[in-house]
Amino acid sequence: MGERGATALSVHGLTVSFRTGEGLLQAVRGLDYSVARGQCLGIVGESGSGKSVCATAALGLLDKSADVRGSIEIDGRLLSELTDEQKRLLRGRAISIIFQEPSRSFDPIYSIGKTFEETIRAKEASVSAAECRSRAVKLLGEVHIPRAEERLKNFPHQFSGGMLQRIMIALALANDPEILVADEPTTALDVTIQAQIVGLLRELQVKRGLSLIFISHDLRLVAQIADRIMVMYGGLVLELGDAEEVLRHPRSPYTRALLDSVPEWGSHYSAGNLISIAGAVPNPVRPEPGCPFAPRCGLVRDECRARLPDLLEAPGEPAIAAERAGESLVHGMTLYRCVVPGVKR
Amino acid sequence: MNAILELREVSKIYKLEAGLFAAAGRHVWAVNDVSLDIERGETYGLVGESGSGKTTLARTIVQLVPHTAGTIDYYPDRTSQREGSAERWRISRGDSESLRMFRSEVKYIFQDPSSSLDPRMSIGSILTAGTRYSPRFPGRSEVEDRVREVIAAVGLREADLDRRPSEFSGGQRQRISLARALIYSPTVLICDEVVSALDVSIQGQILNLLVELKHRFELTMIFIAHDLTVVSYMADRIGVMYGGSLMEEAPSANLTQRPLHPYTRLLYESIPTWNRKLSDRVAISGAAYVPTVEPTGCPFVGRCPLARERCRVEMPLLREIAAGHKVACHFVESDA
């Protein structure tokens, strides 16, 4: 699909808002990010942070009522310049998505074989039934479903949640996409199964050279798979950087608070309280004029409340100019949105 | 040893209804022969995945789900429990009078506060509605004093009493659930996945609050969660459940430093931590416990790396391997 640049997906100046009964809901308020080919971008945020919307916008899957602005470029093609039919073909072939609860993503009266057939033919109408079967068996093998041939006859209710999620991944890969978006893919699953799914995604990323967008509320989980991590809050990026850098030296007070508000392995209540964040997540209908985290931030100053801080580049990092010049993006660069200097763990 | 709750060989077998498509005589073995003691004043953590029986076990304690075998004993006396002289209540659905007393002392907090609070009631009436049926109802004005005390204790304001659940965020609703339980001055609080439905940044608040309430009201706590990290933070002792059985029980520090049972180790290796790469062992799949077949051996046999023939036919007993550290496995030794 197109010439193979180093960037699989790039998003510039994305804003997404919805009209609701309460008023205009600003889900995403100006967002730039990119995913390099073969890389995994982890998006971390709580409910209402805009983490899902910024990825579903890239698939052109948002409701018609959503007001989407900014540019989304997949494989060198601007989403806004495509017809609905071209977008439909792009989904599955260039970018694909899996969701949180696998059991709800399947039609209960379609066998797995039938589901594969439908998925493959949606993009390639002329593929024969036998060819669909053999592709499905191969894909199921890739996601480690045993006895794939027999299991094509089965229906969704005959599989466990973990197996369904693996089948979902196989379906998402049926049209050989470049990018896979995994939106909270393990939240409904048990911990041991979660580890299997994350392991599988990483294996596929390496084997197929997939670009991954892994969305989750769990920073520790994202850290296991992501090369880069983007931390979102109130529809904004508060921090973006290499996974290890973000975890070891969080520059945004919010990232730091996220790490502190869940217990670390081996810690105990008797040794002291968790450093908890007071207050609640912001209401996206009435965003704060300043930093969205200001009302809950321990380091807050007057200027934080007055004006939204810019996304700054961490000192000592390569210049942001490369990105501005349209070059490939932000490898190794750390960006954070905070006016309090020297915020470091 | 000063147990407040004593569970002996507690089992819960559900009978499935025969229906148009379902055959009669089918059962679900949800909890199988679980014995454990909850010590007065401790926080006992129950950890396990979905289907492990942790919630069913906790619900048998308050008889939301009556157990089908075994005994559950409660020792109400807070101070002078001595050999032979201790008052003991045997908990069952049959004895409705002592069950009513018992339920004022042992309160259950549910996972999802938005579905466990009546949306049409004000917070004030949610808190007080049940008190009139409590055998320890002290009178209206005393209840009102108590409401003021607990609403402050959980970090809400008196003005909130006139508002309805929909006006509160998830974390605040969980505070309301806690206040509703504390009205009765309970001795035991059973917290079932109380932070799972909350945003990450809110979880810390609620965990801190639970610790604070535990000290302030001298509570014994049963803390149930699927997340081993959270349980080991909150609990003094931990019981690990799988397939309806107790697989391992140990003081929190022992369990985090040296998980012995193969299942606990699998759980441990599945925990996402940023400074440890995913273990290859988690890739091991295999057959999970099937609760609709009468269990004969170890429930973990289908997924266990140590499994041998003996495990299929003989359920291992919970053995004490080190001080306070018990493991139900034929092949785990203390130096493992």
Side-chain angles (χ1 to χ4, degrees):
Chain A
M1 311 227 28
E3 85 274 27
R4 293 175 57 89
T7 308
L9 169 75
S10 74
V11 170
H12 284 283
L14 179 71
T15 65
V16 180
S17 42
F18 300 90
R19 226 167 285 287
T20 69
E22 283 182 81
L24 197 67
L25 186 152
Q26 294 175 271
V28 174
R29 296 158 59 194
L31 188 66
D32 298 89
Y33 72 93
S34 69
V35 184
R37 210 171 287 284
Q39 200 187 49
C40 175
L41 173 73
I43 306 181
V44 181
E46 300 179 89
S47 51
S49 64
K51 61 184 188 299
S52 290
V53 170
C54 72
T56 35
L59 281 109
L61 280 180
L62 290 175
D63 193 76
K64 286 261 186 285
S65 71
D67 181 14
V68 184
R69 293 177 195 193
S71 75
I72 298 164
E73 211 176 303
I74 297 174
D75 249 326
R77 299 204 288 174
L78 274 174
L79 206 61
S80 55
E81 289 172 359
L82 301 181
T83 63
D84 281 355
E85 176 61 13
Q86 283 173 318
K87 276 191 220 166
R88 190 183 72 79
L89 289 174
L90 202 69
R91 287 194 288 269
R93 282 187 188 170
I95 184 166
S96 208
I97 188 165
I98 57 169
F99 297 100
Q100 176 168 343
E101 218 170 308
S103 55
R104 290 200 193 169
S105 304
F106 283 88
D107 187 327
I109 60 165
Y110 268 35
S111 70
I112 298 304
K114 188 80 189 155
T115 310
F116 268 100
E117 202 177 305
E118 195 193 36
T119 308
I120 292 168
R121 284 185 175 164
K123 304 288 145 64
E124 296 172 74
S126 60
V127 179
S128 72
E131 169 71 12
C132 284
R133 277 184 69 81
S134 80
R135 281 199 209 176
V137 169
K138 192 159 165 287
L139 286 160
L140 290 180
E142 235 185 305
V143 297
H144 310 301
I145 300 284
R147 298 180 292 116
E149 191 88 27
E150 297 164 45
R151 303 233 60 177
L152 283 179
K153 290 182 216 123
N154 290 154
F155 289 85
H157 74 268
Q158 290 165 299
F159 294 88
S160 66
M163 284 186 118
L164 275 183
Q165 193 59 293
R166 285 194 260 161
I167 297 171
M168 201 65 231
I169 293 170
L171 278 166
L173 298 178
N175 301 103
D176 213 10
E178 296 267 348
I179 309 165
L180 179 65
V181 179
D183 189 356
E184 299 264 14
T186 61
T187 307
L189 304 176
D190 278 322
V191 220
T192 55
I193 309 301
Q194 165 171 288
Q196 289 175 9
I197 296 290
V198 171
L200 173 66
L201 285 172
R202 209 168 57 179
E203 181 189 324
L204 292 168
Q205 185 200 353
V206 173
K207 267 196 199 155
R208 288 180 160 246
L210 264 184
S211 313
L212 273 181
I213 298 180
F214 191 97
I215 303 170
S216 173
H217 64 282
D218 186 344
L219 193 48
R220 293 177 297 178
L221 178 65
V222 169
Q224 288 212 308
I225 186 165
D227 302 299
R228 304 268 295 162
I229 290 182
M230 178 160 92
V231 180
M232 292 191 69
Y233 191 79
L236 292 162
V237 173
L238 292 193
E239 183 154 4
L240 171 65
D242 283 346
E244 213 173 301
E245 184 67 13
V246 169
L247 287 151
R248 280 191 199 279
H249 310 295
R251 287 179 168 83
S252 162
Y254 174 63
T255 313
R256 186 150 100 190
L258 264 190
L259 285 168
D260 287 342
S261 62
V262 284
E264 291 238 12
W265 176 250
S267 63
H268 198 249
Y269 75 90
S270 53
N273 276 1
L274 297 169
I275 302 166
S276 79
I277 322 173
V281 294
N283 183 342
V285 179
R286 286 180 294 277
E288 307 287 329
C291 172
F293 189 57
R296 306 175 68 190
C297 183
L299 302 170
V300 68
R301 298 172 177 189
D302 287 345
E303 55 184 308
C304 307
R305 293 203 180 87
R307 191 185 143 267
L308 181 64
D310 295 324
L311 206 52
L312 301 174
E313 193 185 323
E317 304 281 349
I320 200 166
E323 179 200 353
R324 294 274 153 73
E327 302 282 312
S328 119
L329 277 187
V330 286
H331 302 285
M333 186 183 294
T334 305
L335 301 171
Y336 67 103
R337 196 187 290 279
C338 188
V339 296
V340 182
V343 177
K344 229 172 179 192
R345 195 175 164 91
Chain B
M1 295 290 272
N2 183 7
I4 188 163
L5 277 164
E6 233 176 56
L7 279 63
R8 289 291 173 268
E9 287 162 16
V10 171
S11 295
K12 173 65 194 180
I13 303 169
Y14 289 97
K15 275 200 183 72
L16 291 183
E17 295 283 322
L20 189 54
F21 297 107
R26 294 197 309 156
H27 296 90
V28 172
W29 280 264
V31 173
N32 305 313
D33 284 340
V34 172
S35 301
L36 55 86
D37 290 349
I38 309 290
E39 304 293 325
R40 202 175 297 273
E42 78 170 341
T43 299
Y44 188 95
L46 264 183
V47 68
E49 299 181 277
S50 51
S52 64
K54 58 189 191 300
T55 292
T56 305
L57 181 69
R59 290 188 179 183
T60 61
I61 295 175
V62 287
Q63 295 289 299
L64 273 174
V65 171
H67 53 298
T68 45
T71 57
I72 299 170
D73 290 331
Y74 173 68
Y75 296 94
D77 190 351
R78 283 163 204 249
T79 49
S80 67
Q81 186 198 349
R82 283 185 302 277
E83 194 66 30
S85 70
E87 189 181 348
R88 187 188 74 185
W89 301 355
R90 180 143 291 185
I91 305 309
S92 77
R93 273 275 176 92
D95 187 353
S96 60
E97 200 46 46
S98 66
L99 187 59
R100 241 154 59 92
M101 288 295 286
F102 175 70
R103 280 177 173 167
S104 290
E105 307 219 342
V106 179
K107 301 307 285 183
Y108 200 99
I109 315 284
F110 297 90
Q111 169 171 356
D112 185 1
S114 52
S115 60
S116 54
L117 300 172
D118 189 329
R120 292 178 304 173
M121 287 165 81
S122 71
I123 305 310
S125 35
I126 285 174
L127 295 188
T128 53
T131 53
R132 280 184 296 136
Y133 305 99
S134 165
R136 295 195 308 201
F137 180 65
R140 221 178 247 198
S141 68
E142 283 83 353
V143 166
E144 274 168 23
D145 290 343
R146 182 75 186 155
V147 164
R148 275 193 287 276
E149 186 189 348
V150 298
I151 203 84
V154 300
L156 294 173
R157 292 164 304 140
E158 262 180 66
D160 292 331
L161 292 172
D162 298 324
R163 298 163 72 196
R164 282 167 215 281
S166 62
E167 296 172 62
F168 293 88
S169 66
Q172 286 172 313
R173 284 182 205 160
Q174 204 55 287
R175 289 170 192 269
I176 297 165
S177 304
L178 282 166
R180 177 172 59 179
L182 292 171
I183 289 280
Y184 301 89
S185 311
T187 53
V188 182
L189 211 55
I190 303 178
C191 300
D192 189 356
E193 298 274 13
V194 284
V195 296
S196 318
L198 303 179
D199 270 318
V200 183
S201 68
I202 307 298
Q203 293 185 9
Q205 292 174 17
I206 299 296
L207 294 179
N208 282 343
L209 177 65
L210 284 173
V211 172
E212 189 190 317
L213 294 173
K214 176 187 143 106
H215 291 311
R216 177 164 174 181
F217 296 105
E218 296 172 3
L219 297 168
T220 302
M221 220 177 254
I222 301 177
F223 187 89
I224 306 166
H226 65 279
D227 185 335
L228 189 52
T229 313
V230 173
V231 172
S232 63
Y233 173 79
M234 287 298 288
D236 301 307
R237 289 192 306 139
I238 299 178
V240 181
M241 288 189 73
Y242 183 82
S245 300
L246 194 61
M247 309 305 266
E248 182 161 4
E249 184 185 73
S252 189
N254 293 23
L255 200 82
T256 51
Q257 280 157 25
R258 227 160 52 103
L260 291 176
H261 196 283
Y263 174 65
T264 318
R265 296 172 82 108
L266 176 67
L267 260 188
Y268 165 71
E269 279 159 18
S270 305
I271 297 170
T273 49
W274 59 279
N275 48 10
R276 179 159 49 84
K277 283 288 168 208
L278 262 182
S279 159
D280 289 336
R281 262 191 50 172
V282 299
I284 297 166
S285 189
Y289 172 71
V290 181
T292 48
V293 178
E294 183 165 9
T296 48
C298 173
F300 190 56
V301 66
R303 300 171 72 186
C304 183
L306 304 181
R308 291 184 221 168
E309 199 42 47
R310 184 179 171 199
C311 306
R312 283 177 210 289
V313 291
E314 186 190 338
M315 172 64 199
L317 295 172
L318 205 61
R319 294 178 291 145
E320 186 151 353
I321 275 180
H325 199 146
K326 298 177 189 170
V327 182
C329 179
H330 294 305
F331 301 113
V332 163
E333 293 307 327
S334 55
D335 50 19

